[in-house]
Each structure stands twice: as structure tokens, then as C-alpha cells.
């Protein structure tokens, strides 16, 4: 079976979505961008291993580095999602306070 980077990226996204389930809609775009940014590096590692340019230990080391890079990128996604949720909650409470204040002024 030939290595297909695009199919592999899709498979990785499915794997991530399966783990973050409920959070996926919040982080999907960010996760896709993170993988797009790492696509070349992932493909180079795969091709180097397939061609015999690197051995299994070298591949594991390089994949460990990629794991750390992806972890950092996904943590940024999580932070962005939390910031978005906090801003939405703040806006909701502000709207509620405004409505209560308006009702109090009408009394």
C-alpha cells in the first residue's frame, strides 16, 4: 500500500475528533490548521522511513518531536476555545444585566 499524506491527515483528524468528541466543533478548524502546518514534516518522516533513509528508532524519535509540536498546537486550540467560551459567557451575562437594569428602571 502506498503512503498517501492526504488520507493520513484525514485519518489523524478522525483520530483526534474521536478523542476530543464534545470539544471537536470548537477545535476542528484549529486542529486542521495545525496539521496543515505539520503536513510537510509528517510526510518527510514517513517517506524517509519508507525509503529506508531512517530506521525505526530514528522515526520514533522524529515522531516524538512531532507529537510535542502537535500537542503544543492543540493546546493553543484548546485555549482559543476556552477564550471564545469565556467571551460568549461574558456577553450573555452582560445582556442579562442590561435587561435586568432596564426592568428595574421601568419600576
Amino acid at each position: 500500500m502506498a503512503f498517501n499524506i492526504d488520507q493520513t491527515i484525514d485519518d489523524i483528524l478522525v483520530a483526534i475528533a474521536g478523542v476530543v468528541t464534545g470539544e471537536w466543533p470548537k477545535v476542528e478548524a484549529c486542529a486542521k490548521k495545525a496539521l496543515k502546518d505539520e503536513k510537510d514534516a509528517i510526510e518527510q518522516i514517513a517517506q524517509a522511513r519508507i525509503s529506508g533513509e531512517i530506521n525505526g528508532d530514528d522515526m520514533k524519535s522524529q515522531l516524538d518531536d512531532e507529537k510535542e509540536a502537535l500537542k503544543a498546537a492543540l493546546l493553543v486550540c484548546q485555549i482559543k476555545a476556552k477564550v471564545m467560551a469565556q467571551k460568549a459567557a461574558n456577553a450573555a451575562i452582560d445582556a442579562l444585566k442590561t435587561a435586568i437594569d432596564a426592568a428595574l428602571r421601568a419600576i
Side-chain angles (χ1 to χ4, degrees):
M1 180 173 122
F3 180 78
N4 179 320
I5 186 63
D6 294 319
Q7 181 60 53
T8 302
I9 294 294
D10 289 345
D11 293 345
I12 293 169
L13 287 168
V14 168
I16 292 170
V19 172
V20 300
T21 54
E23 298 294 312
W24 182 244
K26 298 175 195 169
V27 299
E28 180 178 5
C30 189
K32 286 181 177 180
K33 183 187 179 317
L35 282 171
K36 181 181 175 205
D37 292 347
E38 295 299 318
K39 181 179 177 178
D40 288 342
I42 293 168
E43 185 171 28
Q44 287 176 2
I45 293 167
Q47 294 298 344
R49 178 65 183 115
I50 292 165
S51 71
E53 187 178 326
I54 62 174
N55 64 28
D57 289 338
D58 291 337
M59 181 188 75
K60 182 185 177 321
S61 174
Q62 290 182 25
L63 289 178
D64 286 344
D65 292 343
E66 280 305 307
K67 184 192 299 186
E68 291 303 313
L70 285 171
K71 186 165 111 179
L74 292 172
L75 284 171
V76 168
C77 295
Q78 182 182 28
I79 290 167
K80 286 180 180 179
K82 285 183 178 182
V83 168
M84 178 187 64
Q86 184 63 54
K87 286 181 180 179
N90 289 346
I93 297 303
D94 288 347
L96 175 60
K97 286 180 185 176
T98 299
I100 292 169
D101 290 345
L104 287 171
R105 283 192 299 275
I107 295 177

